Amino acid sequence: MGLSDRNQKGFRRLLRSFVFATHGLKHVVKYEQNMQIHVGCSLLVIALAWWLQFPLMHWMVLLLVIGGMFSLEIMNTAIERTVDLYTKEFHPLAKRAKDVAAAAVFVYGVFAVVIGLLLFGPPLLDLLL
């Protein structure tokens, strides 16, 4: 994006920003293994929620959790690529930045699992009992 593009306003600039964002999303889904795992698990969870006929509030929570996980994984990838751009050599601070970004995804993932158990546990138990 050139300097003249940054000064451009209106619908055309907005449309271009969506195109760039779509390119980024396609890239992480195609090349990042963890994102592929998140997408696969999300599709399974969505199918199960549909089968269990989740109420609207459960859907809202579920979709917020999935969207949050996708967003954090994308940010983690952006941080990793930025660090890689800055230095190809090992540096303790570069490692720390990558580890901390990965930790954010991990922490969110743990809470996502807990939320999943709270959402799916009762209806699944009702089916089994």
Side-chain angles (χ1 to χ4, degrees), residues 58 116-127:
H58 285 100
L117 291 172
L118 293 171
L119 291 174
F120 287 96
L124 288 174
L125 283 175
D126 287 344
L127 285 175

Side-chain angles (χ1 to χ4, degrees), residues 79-97:
I79 290 168
E80 287 179 352
R81 295 304 162 268
T82 302
V83 169
D84 290 345
L85 178 65
Y86 180 74
T87 180
K88 298 290 184 211
E89 301 168 9
F90 176 81
H91 191 286
L93 289 178
K95 179 186 182 326
R96 181 73 43 90

Side-chain angles (χ1 to χ4, degrees), residues 65-66 69 106-117:
V65 170
I66 291 171
M69 181 57 75
F106 176 74
V107 168
Y108 193 89
V110 169
F111 280 92
V113 168
V114 171
I115 291 168
L117 291 172

Side-chain angles (χ1 to χ4, degrees), residues 26-45:
K26 286 179 185 177
H27 177 82
V28 294
V29 170
K30 184 174 182 179
Y31 295 106
E32 296 298 321
Q33 180 181 5
N34 287 345
M35 189 62 161
Q36 294 165 358
I37 292 168
H38 293 312
V39 169
C41 290
S42 296
L43 292 174
L44 291 173
V45 165

